Structures are given as structure tokens and as C-alpha cells.
């Protein structure tokens, strides 16, 4: 059956609440239920990247063709995806972070364009390309719908969704210290949540909630430091069921290293309205030389569950204590109700850079599953699951691949995965019909040599030299696209790719899953078997996230192409030194044979659409 809404239902879903911003959350939730739209960066609060639309399905996707295209006018890495609200599409770009409003009823003509004036001096302090992962939409804020942009220079700007005019603007960080903005905001209740980038510059991570009405700060929670600044309650905030205790972060850092200790928050956010909890991950500790920061370095590399109203942490779980490999923990938290050990659980599923996929109870933080989602992962043997063990919840590090144990100025070789992880920020998708997670992955290993480095505000604070290459003794490529059973911790099927899959996935009720490749292909595969059903090469490599919407009775699929990001930084920034780009330039050197710079939105459709037979 066709899972779409009538025009009357669509109009109802877009009504602005008379009560103002207090009901913005409810309005956004209702708008997200309409599959004709794509109103949040990840589709819904649960980060599932799922659509009920099925007019494009496994029976007819082979007939899909480009319907229209739009050039963004920018040549750098295009991460994230557009939003669709009613008959308007909102498209964003990398620096200078242009926002376009396109009229879907008039062949994508430009309704308005917003181009912020930013100091280009922010570009050198953007670690891994000038990317931006998208804008957020906030309905019914004091009579106006808003589009929220988080600029590279950390300014957060609320735009009138109808006109593109600035409503308010507030600065979230200080680029002179290396603080930048790359993450997509998340609107919840009467607030918008903003993270911070800059872990490679010694930035101290934080998340900040701003009031939608005027941009004033509601609360800010740091990743490291004193309890009051982290919004941690020593008695009530728990890890694996036990209170974290007083000074849980300070006790795990040497001296004041926590002040430049990283734990940045440049990934995705999710929200459970019933539990009123926000979920996100913190990034790597600074520096990359582990010898300069003894201890567990809490709470870098951590999953946080925070109260949406106060910001107080309800529970935390540190995945990689004393990270020695730059395994950021910022990847998305996907919320899904799934069976684990024969029991239905309110789960949180997280595919970490460190190569382990975690399934936790999202209410309590109980660890349910922790398994490798790439067989090549070798830096640890396992995560201990015995609650009675003093190693409970900790990965068991293999000495051969420990950059700490091998020491400074020693090149540790053959570490899998590489620093860019088994998966970077490119978000996975979840199908409530198959109960499977569809995960874009990197199949890449590295050599890693740490060295001593001094901190200077606004200068790189890395302290390691890396080289990257495909996982040995495998299919020879640098990526896989997999289907994952998060209740069992098992790969169901896996598709090898020549390069890392740096595109966010999309699962739909048409029994298909979409993703893009670094060469520039949009691909559609059977959700149950992984069989390839369609592919089309777009003008540039795809590091954007696939989305879908309906307009005038037809389903469309859209994706941004524009090579860049960490994997494509060599092409994006014109780098040739193999060790440049934190080791990525050499690893992805051959990518230049397959694609070139670009900045384009491509929208696809099937000319003659019929509903899925399911």
C-alpha cells in the first residue's frame, strides 16, 4: 500500500501551534511523521534514516532516472543532506555555508539564498575539510518557522524559513582557539542543541542548548572537567549501573590537561521524547600522543544520555578509555526497539569508530551487546561483558597494537581500523521492517607513530604521524556496506567497495536501501539480501547522506555529491604529501582517477510509479 498523506493531512501536520515555542517540539514530531517530508537532518529524533515511502521500491528502482539537479556553487566536501518541508527544500553547502530555499513546485527555482560573511581564516583550523552536515528546521517559533544554521566560525543563525532573513545570531565558540562548527543542529522542545569541533586543536568539548525564541543560552555541558561544568551528578549520574562519583573526570587526567583535552561533539544528536533524554558521543582526547595524557581521560570517547530540560547527565559509557588511536566516539546513536536475547529492549545502537558496535538500554545505559562489525578489527580482542569483572565494559587492548605501550617515536604498524574508524560520522540507517541496521564502513588499517607536541592555542595539537591502507588479506578495497543485527551482534550480509563508504544510508518501505560511494555512485540494494538493484554515477564523489521525499504524488530520492571530507581531503584541498590530511592523502591517492571536485544536488525519481506489492 502507498504510505502517503492527503493534502488535508499534510496541511494539518504543518499547522503552527498557537502556543508558540513551547509546542515546537510537538509540531516537529508531527511533521516528521509525514513521509512526504524530511524535516530533520537524520529523518527523525531516533536517527533511523527511515522512510515509509514505497512508490520507489525494489520492483521498479531499476527504472530510476535523474529528475533534476542543482549546483551549489561551492567546491569542497558536501556532507549532510537537504531538508524538505512542505513544497520547499533547504540545501546547505560547505564553507561559506550558503543556505538555499528551493521551490519544489517550480522545478527547484531559488526562493531565497542566505550567504553568511565569514572570515576565511577559519578554514585552516577546520581539521578535515570545510564540511557542514546540515541545517535544522524549527516550526512555530513566535509565529515564524525557522531554519537553524551552524556556521564554520561557530555562529548559530536562526533564519526566517519563508524569507531567509536573520532572526537572531549567537556565537558558540572561538575560532582563534581552533573551535569550529561542522555538525548539524538538533531542535528539541523550545531549544536547539549545538556541538563544537576542534579536537585536533586542543578544544575542550561541549554541547550547548540555546532557546529558540531569542538565541539565549539555556545550558552548556562540557565533556571534561569539574562536575558542575559537565552537569554531572556524582550520586545520580551512572556508568554501567554505578554512580560515577565525585570528580570522575578530573581524577583521570594529569594536572590541567583536561582543559585542552578534546572530547569534542561534532557528530549527530538523537532524542527520546518519552524519556526526555538526549544522546550523543564525545570525541578523542587531545593530544593523539597518549603518553602526554596518562589516565582514562574521562569523559572523552563517551556516550552521554542527558536530561533535555536541565542538561544533567543521566548515564554515561566510555567506550575507549585512554584512546591511543584517535577513535572518536561521535558517531550517531540510533534509537530502536529491538529484541536482545529474546527480550524486547528500548535500545540505543552505536557503530563506533573503534570498530565495535554497541547496543545499550537507552533508559539505563546497561550494556547489552558489544561486537566487532568488521572482522579486520585487531587493536582489541573483545569488550568484557561480565558485570562481576573489574574489566566490565572495557576493551581488551592487544599490546602489539598499543601506541601507548610501544612508546613515543615508535611506529606501531598494522593497526585496524585506521584513525578514521570502521565508520566515521557517515550515518547508518535502520529498517523497522527488517529490524536490520545498514552501515557504511571503512575497511582501512594504519601505521601510527606518536611524538611529543606542545600546545599553542589555535595551532594543531595532534602529536602523531599516520599512514593508511586497505585492510590486508581481504578483498583489496577500502570499504564495505553491511547489514547488521544489533540484537545478536552479527553481520547479516556485506558488500565490498573499492573505497570507504562515506555516504549516509537511507532505508525505505520499498524494501530498498540507498547509499553513495566515493567514486560518485548512488546505489540501491535489496534490504533483505543486499543484491544491487540500481546505480548511477553523479558528477562528483558522494560523502552526503541520501534522503527521500514526495511531491505532487511522486517519490523522489536526493543526494549531495562533492568529494571531500577526511577521506577526500587530498582532492578537496589539493594535498599530495602521503602523510598529509592526518594520513588520508596517501591512503586515498587513487581516488583522483575516479572523480573530481564538484558541488551538486541530484534528485532522482521513477517516471511511472506504483506502490510496493508488500
Amino acid at each position: 500500500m502507498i504510505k502517503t498523506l492527503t493534502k488535508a493531512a499534510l496541511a494539518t501536520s504543518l499547522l503552527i501551534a498557537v502556543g508558540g515555542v513551547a509546542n515546537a517540539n510537538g509540531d516537529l514530531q508531527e511533521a516528521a511523521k509525514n513521509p512526504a517530508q524530511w524535516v530533520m537532518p537524520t529523518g527523525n529524533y531516533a536517527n533511523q534514516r527511515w522512510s515509509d515511502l514505497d512508490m520507489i521500491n525494489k520492483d521498479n528502482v531499476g527504472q530510476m532516472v535523474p529528475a533534476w539537479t542543482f549546483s551549489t556553487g561551492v567546491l569542497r566536501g558536501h556532507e549532510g543532506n537537504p531538508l524538505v518541508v512542505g513544497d520547499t527544500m533547504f540545501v546547505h553547502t560547505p564553507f561559506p555555508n550558503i543556505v538555499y530555499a528551493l521551490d519544489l513546485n517550480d522545478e527547484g527555482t531559488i526562493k531565497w539564498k542566505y550567504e553568511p560573511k565569514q572570515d576565511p581564516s577559519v578554514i585552516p583550523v577546520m581539521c578535515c575539510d570545510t564540511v557542514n552536515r546540515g541545517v535544522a528546521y524549527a516550526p512555530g517559533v513566535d509565529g515564524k518557522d525557522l531554519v537553524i544554521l551552524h556556521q564554520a566560525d561557530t555562529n548559530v543563525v536562526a533564519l526566517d524559513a519563508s524569507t531567509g532573513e536573520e532572526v537572531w545570531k549567537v556565537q558558540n565558540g572561538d575560532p582563534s582557539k581552533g573551535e569550529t562548527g561542522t555538525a548539524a543542529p538538533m531542535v528539541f522542545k523550545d531549544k536547539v542543541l549545538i556541538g563544537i569541533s576542534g579536537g585536533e586543536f586542543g578544544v575542550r568539548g561541549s554541547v550547548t542548548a540555546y532557546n529558540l525564541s531569542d538565541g539565549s543560552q539555556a545550558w552548556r555541558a562540557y565533556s571534561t572537567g569539574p562536575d558542575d561544568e559537565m552537569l554531572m551528578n556524582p550520586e545520580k549520574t551512572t556508568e554501567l549501573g554505578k554512580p560515577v562519583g565525585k570528580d570522575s573526570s578530573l581524577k583521570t587526567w594529569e594536572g590541567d590537561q583536561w582543559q585542552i583535552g578534546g572530547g569534542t561533539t561534532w557528530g549527530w544528536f538523537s532524542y527520546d521524547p518519552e524519556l526526555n533524554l538526549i544522546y550523543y558521543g564525545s570525541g578523542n582526547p587531545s593530544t593523539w600522543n597518549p603518553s602526554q595524557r596518562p589516565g582514562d581521560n574521562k569523559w572523552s570517547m563517551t556516550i552521554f544520555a542527558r536530561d533535555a530540560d536541565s542538561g544533567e547527565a543521566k548515564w554515561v559509557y566510555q567506550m575507549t578509555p585512554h584512546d591511543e588511536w584517535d577513535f572518536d566516539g561521535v558517531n550517531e546513536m540510533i534509537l530502536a526497539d529491538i529484541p536482545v536475547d529474546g527480550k524486547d529492549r528500548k535500545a540505543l545502537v552505536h557503530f563506533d569508530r573503534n570498530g565495535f558496535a554497541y547496543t545499550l538500554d537507552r533508559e539505563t545505559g546497561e550494556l547489552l551487546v558489544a561486537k566487532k562489525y568488521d572482522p579486520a578489527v585487531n587493536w582489541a580482542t573483545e569488550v568484557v561483558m561480565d558485570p562481576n569483572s573489574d574489566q566490565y565494559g572495557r576493551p581488551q587492548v592487544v599490546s602489539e597494537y598499543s601506541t601507548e605501550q610501544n612508546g613515543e617515536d615508535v611506529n606501531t604498524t598494522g593497526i585496524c581500523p585506521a584513525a578514521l574508524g570502521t565508520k566515521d560520522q557517515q550515518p547508518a540507517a535502520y529498517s523497522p521492517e527488517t529490524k536490520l541496521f545498514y552501515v557504511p564502513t571503512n575497511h582501512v588499517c594504519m601505521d601510527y607513530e606518536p611524538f611529543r607536541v606542545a600546545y599553542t592555542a589555535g595551532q594543531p595539537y595532534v602529536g602523531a604521524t599516520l599512514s593508511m591502507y586497505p585492510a590486508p588479506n581481504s578483498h583489496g578495497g577500502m570499504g564495505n556496506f553491511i547489514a547488521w543485527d544489533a540484537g545478536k551482534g552479527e553481520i547479516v550480509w556485506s558488500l565490498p567497495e573499492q573505497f570507504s563508504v562515506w555516504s549516509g544510508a537511507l532505508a525505505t518501505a520499498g524494501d530498498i536501501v540507498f547509499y553513495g560511494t566515493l567514486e560518485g555512485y548512488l546505489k540501491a540494494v535489496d534490504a533483505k539480501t543486499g543484491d544491487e538493484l540500481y546505480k548511477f554515477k553523479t558528477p562528483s564523489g558522494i560523502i552526503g547522506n541520501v534522503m527521500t521525499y514526495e511531491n505532487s504524488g511522486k517519490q523522489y530520492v536526493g543526494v549531495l555529491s562533492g568529494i571531500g571530507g577526511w577521506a577526500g581531503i587530498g582532492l578537496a584541498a589539493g594535498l599530495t604529501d602521503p602523510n598529509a590530511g592526518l594520513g588520508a592523502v596517501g591512503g586515498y591517492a587513487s581516488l583522483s582517477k575516479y572523480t573530481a571536485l564538484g558541488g551538486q544536488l541530484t534528485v532522482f525519481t521513477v517516471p511511472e510509479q506504483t506502490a510496493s506489492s508488500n
Side-chain angles (χ1 to χ4, degrees), residues 99-424:
V99 181
Y100 297 95
L102 306 182
D103 189 342
L104 296 177
N105 290 335
D106 189 16
E107 299 180 334
T109 54
I110 299 172
K111 289 185 172 183
W112 55 257
K113 173 185 176 181
Y114 175 78
E115 185 169 3
K117 305 302 179 185
Q118 299 186 70
D119 188 334
S121 65
V122 73
I123 294 175
V125 293
M126 299 187 78
C127 150
C128 310
D129 203 7
T130 60
V131 296
N132 182 284
R133 299 186 183 93
V135 295
Y137 167 68
V141 180
D142 295 334
K144 292 181 179 179
D145 293 354
L146 302 180
V147 171
I148 312 295
L149 167 67
H150 186 199
Q151 297 176 184
D153 63 7
T154 78
N155 275 302
V156 183
V157 185
L159 304 173
D160 186 316
S162 298
T163 66
E165 296 177 353
E166 286 187 13
V167 177
W168 54 256
K169 180 162 71 172
V170 62
Q171 190 159 356
N172 187 57
D174 182 355
S176 71
K177 297 179 180 178
E179 294 176 335
T180 55
T182 60
M186 183 182 73
V187 168
F188 67 101
K189 292 196 167 181
D190 57 349
K191 300 177 180 65
V192 59
L193 193 68
I194 302 293
I196 198 75
S197 304
E200 279 60 63
F201 290 81
V203 167
R204 182 184 174 205
S206 65
V207 291
T208 307
Y210 294 98
N211 293 307
L212 285 170
S213 58
D214 58 6
S216 59
Q217 188 179 125
W219 52 261
R220 171 170 286 175
Y222 286 93
S223 303
T224 62
D227 293 334
D228 60 337
E229 295 181 14
M230 295 181 61
L231 304 187
M232 300 275 274
N233 187 315
E235 286 78 37
K236 294 183 179 179
T237 303
T238 62
E239 183 182 32
L240 299 176
K242 296 180 180 180
V244 295
K246 185 179 179 181
D247 296 331
S248 58
S249 174
L250 295 178
K251 290 177 179 177
T252 66
W253 293 88
E254 186 174 72
D256 291 336
Q257 181 74 24
W258 57 270
Q259 294 185 8
I260 52 173
T264 49
T265 50
W266 51 273
W268 306 95
F269 307 112
S270 53
Y271 173 53
D272 186 327
E274 292 183 3
L275 299 176
N276 198 37
L277 292 177
I278 287 167
Y279 306 92
Y280 67 95
S282 61
N284 59 286
S286 297
T287 130
W288 288 21
N289 179 359
S291 299
Q292 290 186 241
R293 44 172 176 80
D296 277 356
N297 308 138
K298 299 180 185 232
W299 291 96
S300 66
M301 315 301 293
T302 295
I303 299 173
F304 284 87
R306 292 190 179 275
D307 182 272
D309 297 324
S310 66
E312 183 174 288
K314 179 174 182 180
W315 59 261
V316 292
Y317 170 59
Q318 188 178 40
M319 297 163 289
T320 314
H322 186 60
D323 171 36
E324 308 170 33
W325 310 270
D326 181 46
F327 290 153
D328 271 307
V330 302
N331 293 352
E332 74 285 355
M333 312 297 160
I334 304 174
L335 313 183
D337 298 342
I338 60 173
V340 182
D341 292 331
K343 181 180 178 182
D344 289 339
R345 304 296 294 254
K346 289 185 177 295
L348 175 154
V349 177
H350 171 74
F351 298 93
D352 197 64
R353 287 254 294 266
N354 71 11
F356 285 85
Y358 297 87
T359 304
L360 298 97
D361 185 300
R362 66 178 181 266
E363 183 171 11
T364 66
E366 179 187 354
L367 183 61
L368 305 174
V369 179
K371 293 288 187 180
K372 298 176 183 180
Y373 62 105
D374 185 339
V377 174
N378 64 11
W379 68 276
T381 55
E382 64 176 343
V383 174
V384 175
M385 300 297 292
D386 180 3
N388 297 316
S389 170
D390 63 357
Q391 295 293 299
Y392 178 41
R394 295 182 72 97
Q396 301 302 289
V397 176
V398 176
S399 297
E400 180 182 354
Y401 304 117
S402 170
T403 68
E404 164 87 10
Q405 295 179 43
N406 293 338
E408 292 180 337
D409 303 316
V410 174
N411 190 28
T412 299
T413 61
I415 305 167
C416 305
L420 41 71
T422 299
K423 188 179 85 64
D424 204 288

